[in-house]
């Protein structure tokens, strides 16, 4: 979502029409919510006004945290609690799984900064490139895809990971004559495949929590097919794009590889420590079924161990961790507010009332049709906020899915398609734009076409898979 708010009242000294229209919609919506609350209509469809307002503001381009806060105010306008009750609800939401997902995202970003500063991420990128080899353009493109996938798998974020990997990969692309277009799409396909598998990415944890499944189940039915599609189809697409873009002379100028500022020996030891720790953590999470509690402990512990072995003083490791975590503190606020919003809606009862009213209609739906419709609704949800989409879809449709009899495997597919599908289209997405920017490419048209070229076959594959597991 856009980082700036359309509600900025001053643009060149004047109130913008778009900002004024948005403010008017917010005022009318909150006034409507007050009326709904005063007239005891909370458990009807009118109780969904906060969610509808939330979706409208996000699509409109308002900052997602601010949009969530406005929706929460609208929900409180219906509930009309005492101030002490508001504080109690905000406090209790801090212990909810949804809020913990936001905290894990913050801790993961802190670990990512430690990995960057100690040279671990750079070592992983170079290691992948050396294993795959650099014998031809095709091998280099494949290496770029795998390197982007692995570093994003480790860090759980596209922007932060590519900020580390791109300065290493772009000089390689320049040296071997890989075009900007092919590099940008390799970042998109490989990076998003790695993000889908990332065990500590917020949206992936949200899916596992919502579907109540292990990481292995999540990979089997959700992330695994997307990863395979991304490489089996994505790699030849990149080769075709490379050939066509080369005819347009879309090459990088000579680019120097940045020199490492960290100790080579310490960096290698830190890399080994992190990789061993990551394997142990994921294995323990699979064995124990600890859910969100495992990364809450593992992420800061991995950061401390990696920093220490990388010859960082404890205070320096803490500074790096704070720097990374502070950059995404808005994610914690987002999930805290979302958790409170859904607790309020649960107390108001519109979702339960809607499920009850639609029970007769739901029984007329086949399970397959219901799952497809929900997945497509999720695809058209909040752009660039994949974890929030998972929470929204599960809270709104999860109860209905259980009523219809949707299997756990099918629900995983619905949630991953809802949260990951919009990365590839049908409209520009923050992840897509990030990959394009990190590759120093500026033709969004080709990024969108590349996204569609993967989204369409991925949709077909998931639709077929859904048919057999629903």
């Amino acid at each position: 979502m856009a980082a700036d708010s359309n509600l900025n009242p001053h643009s060149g000294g004047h109130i913008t029409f778009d900002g004024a229209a948005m403010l008017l919609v917010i005022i009318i919506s909150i006034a409507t919510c007050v009326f709904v609350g005063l007239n005891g209509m909370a458990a009807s469809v009118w109780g969904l006004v906060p969610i509808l307002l939330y979706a409208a503001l996000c699509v409109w381009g308002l900052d997602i945290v601010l949009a969530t806060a406005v929706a929460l105010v609208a929900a409180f306008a219906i509930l009309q609690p005492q101030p002490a009750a508001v504080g109690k609800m905000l406090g209790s939401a801090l212990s909810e799984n949804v809020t913990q997902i936001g905290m894990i995202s913050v801790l993961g970003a802190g670990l990512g900064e430690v990995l960057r500063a100690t040279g671990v991420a750079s070592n992983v990128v170079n290691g992948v490139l050396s294993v795959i080899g650099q014998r031809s353009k095709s091998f280099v493109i494949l290496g770029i895809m795998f390197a982007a996938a692995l570093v994003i798998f480790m860090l759980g974020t596209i922007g932060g990971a590519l900020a580390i990997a791109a300065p290493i990969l772009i000089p390689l692309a320049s040296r071997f004559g890989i075009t900007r277009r092919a590099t940008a799409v390799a970042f998109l396909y490989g990076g998003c495949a790695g993000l889908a598998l990332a065990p500590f990415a917020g949206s992936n944890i949200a899916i596992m929590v919502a579907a109540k499944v292990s990481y292995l189940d999540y990979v089997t039915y959700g992330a695994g097919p997307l990863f395979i599609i991304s490489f089996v189809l994505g790699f030849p697409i990149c080769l075709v794009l490379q050939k066509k873009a080369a005819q347009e002379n879309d090459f990088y100028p000579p680019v120097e590889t940045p020199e490492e500022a960290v100790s080579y020996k310490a960096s290698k030891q830190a890399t080994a420590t992190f990789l061993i720790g990551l394997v142990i953590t994921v294995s323990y999470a699979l064995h124990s079924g600890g859910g969100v509690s495992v990364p809450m402990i593992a992420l800061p512990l991995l950061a401390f161990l990696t920093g220490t072995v990388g010859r960082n003083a404890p205070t320096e490791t803490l500074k790096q961790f704070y720097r990374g975590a502070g950059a995404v503190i808005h994610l914690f606020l987002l999930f805290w507010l979302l958790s409170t919003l859904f607790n309020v809606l649960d107390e108001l009862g519109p979702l339960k009332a809607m499920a009850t009213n639609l029970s007769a209609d739901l029984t007329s739906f086949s399970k397959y049709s219901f799952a497809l419709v929900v997945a497509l609704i999720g695809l058209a949800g909040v752009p660039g906020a994949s974890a929030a989409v998972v929470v929204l879809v599960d809270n709104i449709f999860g109860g209905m899915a259980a009523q219809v009899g949707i299997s756990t495997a099918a629900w995983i597919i619905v949630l991953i398609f809802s949260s990951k599908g919009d990365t590839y289209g049908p409209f520009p997405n923050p992840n897509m734009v990030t990959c394009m920017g990190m590759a120093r490419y500026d033709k969004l048209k080709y990024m969108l076409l590349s996204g569609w070229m993967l989204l369409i076959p991925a949709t077909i594959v998931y639709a077929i898979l859904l048919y057999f597991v629903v």
Side-chain angles (χ1 to χ4, degrees):
M1 299 305 299
D4 56 325
S5 169
N6 285 332
L7 284 179
N8 181 5
H10 297 288
S11 178
H14 301 285
I15 298 176
T16 65
F17 175 80
D18 197 44
M22 185 185 295
L23 186 59
L24 181 61
V25 168
I26 292 173
I27 292 172
I28 292 173
S29 299
I30 293 177
T32 301
C33 289
V34 172
F35 178 82
V36 169
L38 289 173
N39 288 274
M41 301 159 61
S44 69
V45 69
W46 287 101
L48 295 174
V49 170
I51 287 293
L52 298 176
L53 175 63
Y54 182 46
L57 293 177
C58 288
V59 172
W60 208 325
L62 185 64
D63 176 87
I64 190 170
V65 176
L66 184 54
T68 309
V70 171
L72 181 58
V73 170
F76 278 133
I78 297 177
L79 185 62
Q80 299 176 11
Q82 295 294 323
V86 172
K88 186 176 180 180
M89 295 185 81
L90 288 168
S92 64
L94 289 171
S95 62
E96 298 280 347
N97 277 341
V98 173
T99 309
Q100 291 175 21
I101 292 168
M103 191 64 206
I104 290 169
S105 299
V106 172
L107 296 175
L111 170 61
E113 178 61 20
V114 174
L115 297 181
R116 185 203 63 78
T118 54
V120 171
S122 299
N123 285 338
V124 169
V125 172
N126 288 322
V128 170
L129 294 175
S130 64
V131 168
I132 293 178
Q134 303 172 22
R135 296 183 290 275
S136 66
K137 287 184 172 65
S138 298
F139 277 95
V140 171
I141 291 174
L142 187 61
I144 289 172
M145 290 182 68
F146 270 109
L150 188 53
V151 74
I152 291 171
F153 168 83
M154 294 191 319
L155 272 63
T157 170
I158 286 184
L162 287 182
I164 299 166
I168 302 170
L169 296 174
I170 288 177
L172 178 69
S174 172
R175 190 163 66 250
F176 278 85
I178 308 301
T179 62
R180 288 182 172 91
R181 187 181 306 166
T183 303
V185 176
F187 283 177
L188 177 67
Y189 290 167
C192 292
L195 184 63
L197 286 179
F200 303 130
S203 59
N204 301 344
I205 292 174
I207 292 173
M208 289 182 271
V209 169
K212 299 180 178 63
V213 296
S214 68
Y215 177 70
L216 185 60
D217 290 329
Y218 164 75
V219 171
T220 300
Y221 298 105
L226 180 59
F227 186 89
I228 294 171
I229 294 167
S230 296
F231 279 89
V232 170
L233 295 181
F235 178 54
I237 291 173
C238 285
L239 295 181
V240 172
L241 293 172
Q242 164 68 18
K243 183 177 180 180
K244 291 192 174 295
Q247 295 172 357
E248 301 172 13
N249 199 32
D250 182 37
F251 297 108
Y252 290 101
V255 182
E256 295 294 328
T257 303
E259 295 183 5
E260 295 292 333
V262 295
S263 164
Y264 178 80
K265 182 179 179 181
S267 176
K268 288 293 184 182
Q269 293 171 343
T271 302
T273 300
F274 168 73
L275 292 177
I276 293 170
L278 181 63
V279 170
I280 292 172
T281 299
V282 173
S283 300
Y284 177 77
L286 287 173
H287 176 73
S288 67
V292 296
S293 61
V294 174
M296 293 281 281
I297 300 171
L299 292 173
L301 182 60
L302 280 172
F304 179 78
L305 290 175
T306 303
T308 300
V309 175
R311 306 294 191 269
N312 272 354
T315 53
E316 185 61 27
T317 298
L318 282 174
K319 287 178 183 178
Q320 294 163 359
F321 192 85
Y322 295 155
R323 186 162 60 243
V328 296
I329 192 65
H330 64 282
L331 292 177
F332 172 76
L333 298 176
L334 168 64
F335 285 101
W336 177 36
L337 294 174
L338 266 180
S339 179
T340 308
L341 173 62
F342 280 107
N343 285 342
V344 174
L345 289 175
D346 188 56
E347 187 167 334
L348 293 175
L351 297 176
K352 293 178 182 177
M354 183 173 67
T356 301
N357 294 334
L358 292 176
S359 58
D361 296 329
L362 289 175
T363 55
S364 65
F365 266 75
S366 70
K367 291 187 288 186
Y368 182 69
S369 299
F370 177 85
L372 281 180
V373 170
V374 174
L376 291 173
I377 291 174
L379 179 65
V382 184
S386 54
V389 168
V390 172
V391 174
L392 285 168
V393 170
D394 186 63
N395 276 273
I396 294 173
F397 298 105
M400 299 182 199
Q403 187 177 343
V404 172
I406 300 295
S407 70
T408 300
W411 197 236
I412 294 172
I413 293 173
V414 169
L415 293 178
I416 196 168
F417 187 81
S418 298
S419 60
K420 310 292 187 192
D422 72 339
T423 295
Y424 305 97
F427 306 109
N429 177 277
N431 285 340
M432 180 185 292
V433 175
T434 297
C435 293
M436 182 177 73
M438 290 294 180
R440 306 176 192 175
Y441 186 61
D442 59 2
K443 291 183 171 58
L444 183 58
K445 176 180 72 173
Y446 290 106
M447 294 298 291
L448 270 174
L449 288 173
S450 301
W452 294 340
M453 290 169 72
L454 199 71
L455 177 61
I456 293 171
T459 302
I460 294 171
V461 169
Y462 275 118
I464 294 171
L465 183 60
L466 187 64
Y467 180 81
F468 288 103
V469 302
V470 72

